[in-house]
Coordinates of all heavy atoms in Angstrom, one line a residue:
D111 N -49.7 43.0 11.5 CA -50.0 42.0 12.5 C -50.5 40.6 12.0 O -50.0 39.6 12.5 CB -51.0 42.5 13.5 CG -50.5 43.7 14.4 OD1 -49.2 43.7 14.5 OD2 -51.3 44.5 14.9
E112 N -51.4 40.7 11.0 CA -51.9 39.4 10.5 C -50.8 38.6 9.8 O -50.6 37.4 9.9 CB -53.0 39.7 9.5 CG -53.7 38.4 9.0 CD -54.8 38.7 8.1 OE1 -55.5 39.7 8.2 OE2 -55.0 37.9 7.2
E113 N -50.0 39.4 9.0 CA -48.9 38.7 8.3 C -47.9 38.2 9.3 O -47.3 37.1 9.1 CB -48.2 39.8 7.4 CG -47.3 39.2 6.4 CD -46.7 40.2 5.4 OE1 -47.4 41.2 5.1 OE2 -45.6 40.0 4.9
T114 N -47.6 38.9 10.3 CA -46.7 38.5 11.4 C -47.2 37.2 12.0 O -46.4 36.3 12.2 CB -46.6 39.6 12.5 OG1 -46.2 40.8 11.9 CG2 -45.6 39.2 13.5
M115 N -48.5 37.1 12.3 CA -49.0 35.9 12.9 C -48.9 34.7 11.9 O -48.5 33.6 12.3 CB -50.4 36.1 13.3 CG -50.6 36.9 14.6 SD -52.2 37.3 15.1 CE -53.3 36.0 14.6
M116 N -49.2 34.9 10.6 CA -49.1 33.9 9.6 C -47.6 33.4 9.5 O -47.3 32.2 9.4 CB -49.6 34.4 8.3 CG -51.1 34.5 8.2 SD -51.9 32.9 8.4 CE -51.5 32.2 6.9
R117 N -46.7 34.4 9.4 CA -45.3 34.0 9.3 C -44.8 33.3 10.5 O -44.0 32.3 10.4 CB -44.5 35.3 9.0 CG -44.6 35.8 7.7 CD -43.8 37.0 7.5 NE -44.0 37.6 6.2 CZ -43.4 38.7 5.8 NH1 -42.6 39.3 6.5 NH2 -43.6 39.1 4.5
S118 N -45.2 33.7 11.6 CA -44.8 33.1 12.8 C -45.2 31.6 12.9 O -44.5 30.7 13.2 CB -45.3 33.8 14.0 OG -44.9 33.2 15.2
L119 N -46.5 31.4 12.5 CA -47.0 30.1 12.5 C -46.3 29.2 11.4 O -45.9 28.1 11.7 CB -48.5 30.1 12.1 CG -49.2 28.8 12.0 CD1 -49.1 28.0 13.4 CD2 -50.7 29.0 11.6
M120 N -46.1 29.8 10.2 CA -45.4 29.0 9.2 C -44.0 28.7 9.6 O -43.5 27.6 9.4 CB -45.4 29.9 7.9 CG -46.7 29.9 7.2 SD -46.8 30.9 5.6 CE -45.2 31.2 5.2
R121 N -43.3 29.7 10.2 CA -41.9 29.5 10.6 C -41.8 28.4 11.7 O -41.0 27.6 11.6 CB -41.4 30.9 11.2 CG -39.9 30.9 11.2 CD -39.4 32.3 11.7 NE -40.0 33.4 11.0 CZ -40.5 34.5 11.6 NH1 -40.5 34.6 12.9 NH2 -41.1 35.4 10.9
R122 N -42.7 28.5 12.6 CA -42.7 27.5 13.7 C -42.9 26.1 13.1 O -42.2 25.2 13.4 CB -43.8 27.8 14.7 CG -43.7 26.9 15.9 CD -44.7 27.2 17.0 NE -45.0 28.6 17.2 CZ -46.2 29.2 17.1 NH1 -47.2 28.4 16.8 NH2 -46.3 30.4 17.3
T123 N -43.9 26.0 12.2 CA -44.2 24.7 11.6 C -43.0 24.2 10.8 O -42.6 23.0 10.8 CB -45.4 24.8 10.7 OG1 -46.5 25.3 11.4 CG2 -45.8 23.4 10.1
Y124 N -42.5 25.1 10.0 CA -41.3 24.7 9.2 C -40.1 24.3 10.0 O -39.5 23.3 9.8 CB -40.9 25.9 8.2 CG -39.7 25.6 7.4 CD1 -39.8 24.7 6.3 CD2 -38.5 26.1 7.7 CE1 -38.7 24.4 5.6 CE2 -37.4 25.8 7.0 CZ -37.5 24.9 5.9 OH -36.4 24.6 5.2
M125 N -39.8 25.1 11.0 CA -38.7 24.8 11.9 C -38.9 23.5 12.6 O -37.9 22.8 12.9 CB -38.4 26.0 12.8 CG -38.0 27.3 12.1 SD -36.6 27.0 11.1 CE -35.3 26.9 12.3
Q126 N -40.1 23.2 13.0 CA -40.3 21.9 13.7 C -40.0 20.8 12.7 O -39.4 19.8 13.1 CB -41.8 21.8 14.2 CG -42.0 22.7 15.4 CD -43.5 22.8 15.8 OE1 -44.4 22.4 15.0 NE2 -43.8 23.3 16.9
G127 N -40.5 20.9 11.5 CA -40.2 19.9 10.4 C -38.7 19.8 10.2 O -38.1 18.7 10.1
V128 N -38.0 20.9 10.1 CA -36.6 20.9 9.9 C -35.9 20.3 11.1 O -34.9 19.5 10.9 CB -36.0 22.3 9.6 CG1 -34.5 22.4 9.7 CG2 -36.5 22.9 8.3
Q129 N -36.3 20.6 12.3 CA -35.8 20.1 13.5 C -35.9 18.5 13.5 O -35.0 17.8 13.8 CB -36.4 20.7 14.7 CG -35.9 20.1 16.0 CD -34.4 20.6 16.3 OE1 -34.0 21.6 15.8 NE2 -33.7 19.8 17.0
R130 N -37.1 18.0 13.1 CA -37.3 16.6 13.0 C -36.3 15.9 12.0 O -35.7 14.9 12.3 CB -38.7 16.3 12.7 CG -39.7 16.4 13.9 CD -41.1 15.8 13.6 NE -41.7 16.4 12.4 CZ -42.5 17.5 12.5 NH1 -42.7 18.1 13.6 NH2 -43.0 18.0 11.4
Q131 N -36.2 16.5 10.9 CA -35.3 16.0 9.8 C -33.9 16.0 10.3 O -33.1 15.1 10.1 CB -35.5 16.8 8.5 CG -36.7 16.5 7.8 CD -36.8 17.3 6.5 OE1 -35.9 18.2 6.2 NE2 -37.8 17.1 5.7
Y132 N -33.5 17.1 11.0 CA -32.1 17.2 11.5 C -31.9 16.1 12.5 O -30.8 15.5 12.5 CB -31.9 18.6 12.0 CG -30.5 18.8 12.6 CD1 -29.4 18.9 11.8 CD2 -30.3 18.7 14.0 CE1 -28.2 19.0 12.3 CE2 -29.1 18.9 14.5 CZ -28.0 19.0 13.7 OH -26.7 19.1 14.2
E133 N -32.8 15.9 13.4 CA -32.7 14.9 14.4 C -32.5 13.5 13.8 O -31.7 12.7 14.3 CB -33.8 15.0 15.5 CG -33.8 16.2 16.3 CD -35.0 16.4 17.2 OE1 -36.0 15.6 17.0 OE2 -35.1 17.4 18.0
K134 N -33.3 13.2 12.8 CA -33.3 11.9 12.1 C -31.9 11.8 11.5 O -31.3 10.7 11.5 CB -34.3 11.8 11.1 CG -35.7 11.6 11.6 CD -36.7 11.5 10.5 CE -38.1 11.4 11.0 NZ -39.1 11.4 9.9
L135 N -31.4 12.8 10.8 CA -30.1 12.8 10.2 C -29.0 12.6 11.2 O -28.1 11.8 11.0 CB -29.9 14.1 9.4 CG -28.5 14.3 8.8 CD1 -28.3 13.2 7.7 CD2 -28.3 15.7 8.2
V136 N -29.1 13.2 12.3 CA -28.1 13.1 13.4 C -28.1 11.6 13.9 O -27.0 11.0 14.0 CB -28.3 14.1 14.5 CG1 -27.5 13.7 15.8 CG2 -28.0 15.5 14.1
V137 N -29.2 11.0 14.1 CA -29.3 9.7 14.6 C -28.7 8.7 13.6 O -28.0 7.8 13.9 CB -30.8 9.3 14.9 CG1 -31.0 7.8 15.1 CG2 -31.3 10.1 16.1
R138 N -29.1 8.9 12.3 CA -28.6 8.0 11.2 C -27.1 8.1 11.1 O -26.4 7.1 11.0 CB -29.2 8.3 9.9 CG -30.6 7.9 9.8 CD -31.2 8.3 8.4 NE -32.6 8.1 8.3 CZ -33.4 8.6 7.4 NH1 -32.9 9.3 6.4 NH2 -34.7 8.3 7.3
T139 N -26.6 9.4 11.1 CA -25.1 9.6 11.0 C -24.4 9.0 12.2 O -23.4 8.3 12.0 CB -24.8 11.1 10.9 OG1 -25.6 11.6 9.8 CG2 -23.4 11.3 10.7
D140 N -24.9 9.1 13.4 CA -24.3 8.5 14.6 C -24.3 7.0 14.5 O -23.3 6.4 14.8 CB -25.0 8.9 15.9 CG -24.7 10.4 16.2 OD1 -23.8 11.0 15.7 OD2 -25.5 10.9 17.1
Q141 N -25.4 6.4 14.0 CA -25.4 5.0 13.8 C -24.4 4.5 12.8 O -23.7 3.5 13.1 CB -26.8 4.5 13.4 CG -26.9 3.0 13.3 CD -26.7 2.3 14.6 OE1 -27.1 2.7 15.7 NE2 -25.9 1.2 14.6
V142 N -24.3 5.2 11.7 CA -23.3 4.8 10.7 C -21.9 4.9 11.3 O -21.0 4.1 11.1 CB -23.4 5.6 9.4 CG1 -22.3 5.4 8.5 CG2 -24.8 5.3 8.7
R143 N -21.6 6.0 12.0 CA -20.3 6.2 12.6 C -20.0 5.1 13.6 O -18.9 4.5 13.7 CB -20.2 7.5 13.3 CG -20.0 8.7 12.4 CD -19.7 10.0 13.2 NE -19.6 11.1 12.2 CZ -20.1 12.3 12.4 NH1 -20.8 12.5 13.5 NH2 -20.0 13.2 11.5
K144 N -21.0 4.7 14.4 CA -20.8 3.6 15.4 C -20.5 2.3 14.6 O -19.6 1.5 15.0 CB -22.0 3.4 16.3 CG -22.2 4.5 17.3 CD -23.4 4.3 18.1 CE -23.7 5.4 19.1 NZ -25.0 5.2 19.8
D145 N -21.2 2.0 13.6 CA -21.0 0.8 12.8 C -19.6 0.8 12.2 O -18.9 -0.2 12.2 CB -22.0 0.7 11.6 CG -23.4 0.4 12.2 OD1 -23.5 0.0 13.3 OD2 -24.3 0.6 11.4
I146 N -19.1 1.9 11.6 CA -17.8 2.0 11.0 C -16.7 1.9 12.1 O -15.8 1.1 12.0 CB -17.6 3.4 10.3 CG1 -18.4 3.3 9.0 CG2 -16.1 3.6 10.0 CD1 -18.4 4.6 8.3
H147 N -17.0 2.5 13.3 CA -16.0 2.3 14.4 C -16.0 0.9 14.8 O -14.9 0.3 15.1 CB -16.4 3.2 15.6 CG -15.5 3.1 16.7 ND1 -14.3 3.6 16.8 CD2 -15.7 2.5 17.9 CE1 -13.7 3.3 17.9 NE2 -14.6 2.6 18.7
G148 N -17.1 0.2 14.9 CA -17.1 -1.2 15.3 C -16.4 -2.1 14.3 O -15.6 -3.0 14.7
V149 N -16.6 -1.8 13.0 CA -15.9 -2.6 12.0 C -14.4 -2.3 12.1 O -13.6 -3.3 12.0 CB -16.5 -2.3 10.6 CG1 -15.6 -2.9 9.5 CG2 -17.9 -2.8 10.5
R150 N -14.0 -1.1 12.2 CA -12.6 -0.8 12.3 C -11.9 -1.4 13.6 O -10.8 -1.9 13.5 CB -12.3 0.7 12.3 CG -12.5 1.3 11.0 CD -12.2 2.8 10.9 NE -12.3 3.3 9.6 CZ -12.6 4.6 9.3 NH1 -12.7 5.5 10.3 NH2 -12.7 5.0 8.1
T151 N -12.7 -1.4 14.7 CA -12.2 -2.0 15.9 C -12.0 -3.5 15.7 O -11.0 -4.1 16.1 CB -13.2 -1.7 17.1 OG1 -13.3 -0.3 17.2 CG2 -12.6 -2.3 18.3
L152 N -13.0 -4.1 15.0 CA -12.9 -5.5 14.7 C -11.7 -5.8 13.8 O -10.9 -6.8 14.1 CB -14.2 -6.0 14.1 CG -14.2 -7.5 13.7 CD1 -14.1 -8.4 14.9 CD2 -15.6 -7.8 13.0
A153 N -11.5 -5.0 12.8 CA -10.4 -5.2 11.9 C -9.1 -5.0 12.6 O -8.1 -5.8 12.4 CB -10.5 -4.3 10.7
A154 N -9.0 -4.0 13.5 CA -7.8 -3.8 14.2 C -7.5 -4.9 15.2 O -6.3 -5.3 15.3 CB -7.9 -2.4 15.0
G155 N -8.5 -5.5 15.8 CA -8.4 -6.6 16.6 C -7.8 -7.8 15.9 O -7.0 -8.6 16.4
Q156 N -8.3 -8.0 14.7 CA -7.8 -9.1 13.9 C -6.3 -8.9 13.5 O -5.6 -9.8 13.4 CB -8.7 -9.3 12.6 CG -10.0 -9.9 13.0 CD -10.9 -10.1 11.8 OE1 -10.6 -9.7 10.7 NE2 -12.0 -10.8 11.9
R157 N -6.0 -7.7 13.2 CA -4.6 -7.4 12.8 C -3.7 -7.7 14.1 O -2.6 -8.2 14.0 CB -4.4 -5.9 12.4 CG -4.8 -5.7 11.0 CD -4.3 -4.4 10.5 NE -4.9 -3.3 11.2 CZ -5.9 -2.6 10.8 NH1 -6.5 -2.8 9.7 NH2 -6.4 -1.6 11.6
R158 N -4.2 -7.3 15.3 CA -3.4 -7.5 16.5 C -3.2 -9.0 16.7 O -2.2 -9.5 17.1 CB -4.1 -6.9 17.7 CG -3.7 -5.5 17.8 CD -4.2 -4.9 19.2 NE -5.2 -3.9 18.8 CZ -6.4 -3.9 19.1 NH1 -6.9 -4.8 19.9 NH2 -7.2 -2.9 18.8
E159 N -4.3 -9.8 16.4 CA -4.2 -11.2 16.5 C -3.1 -11.8 15.6 O -2.4 -12.6 15.9 CB -5.5 -11.9 16.2 CG -6.5 -11.7 17.3 CD -7.9 -12.3 16.9 OE1 -7.9 -13.2 16.1 OE2 -8.9 -11.8 17.5
K160 N -3.1 -11.3 14.4 CA -2.2 -11.7 13.3 C -0.8 -11.6 13.8 O 0.1 -12.4 13.5 CB -2.5 -11.0 12.0 CG -1.5 -11.4 10.9 CD -1.8 -10.6 9.7 CE -0.8 -10.9 8.6 NZ -0.9 -10.1 7.4
F161 N -0.5 -10.5 14.4 CA 0.9 -10.2 14.9 C 1.1 -10.6 16.3 O 2.1 -10.3 16.9 CB 1.2 -8.7 14.7 CG 1.2 -8.3 13.2 CD1 0.2 -7.6 12.7 CD2 2.3 -8.8 12.4 CE1 0.2 -7.2 11.4 CE2 2.3 -8.4 11.1 CZ 1.2 -7.6 10.6
G162 N 0.2 -11.4 16.9 CA 0.4 -11.9 18.3 C 0.2 -10.8 19.3 O 0.7 -11.0 20.4

Side-chain angles (χ1 to χ4, degrees):
D111 288 339
E112 185 178 330
E113 193 177 333
T114 304
M115 285 177 27
M116 285 298 286
R117 286 183 182 175
S118 177
L119 179 62
M120 285 178 17
R121 199 175 311 129
R122 187 177 324 122
T123 304
Y124 178 76
M125 291 308 284
Q126 287 171 346
V128 169
Q129 181 67 30
R130 281 191 301 272
Q131 286 180 352
Y132 178 75
E133 289 169 357
K134 286 179 185 178
L135 176 64
V136 167
V137 168
R138 287 179 188 166
T139 304
D140 287 343
Q141 183 60 42
V142 169
R143 282 187 182 138
K144 286 178 186 176
D145 290 345
I146 288 174
H147 177 71
V149 169
R150 284 185 178 154
T151 302
L152 179 61
Q156 288 180 350
R157 280 193 298 262
R158 276 189 242 118
E159 288 177 24
K160 177 181 176 184
F161 294 106

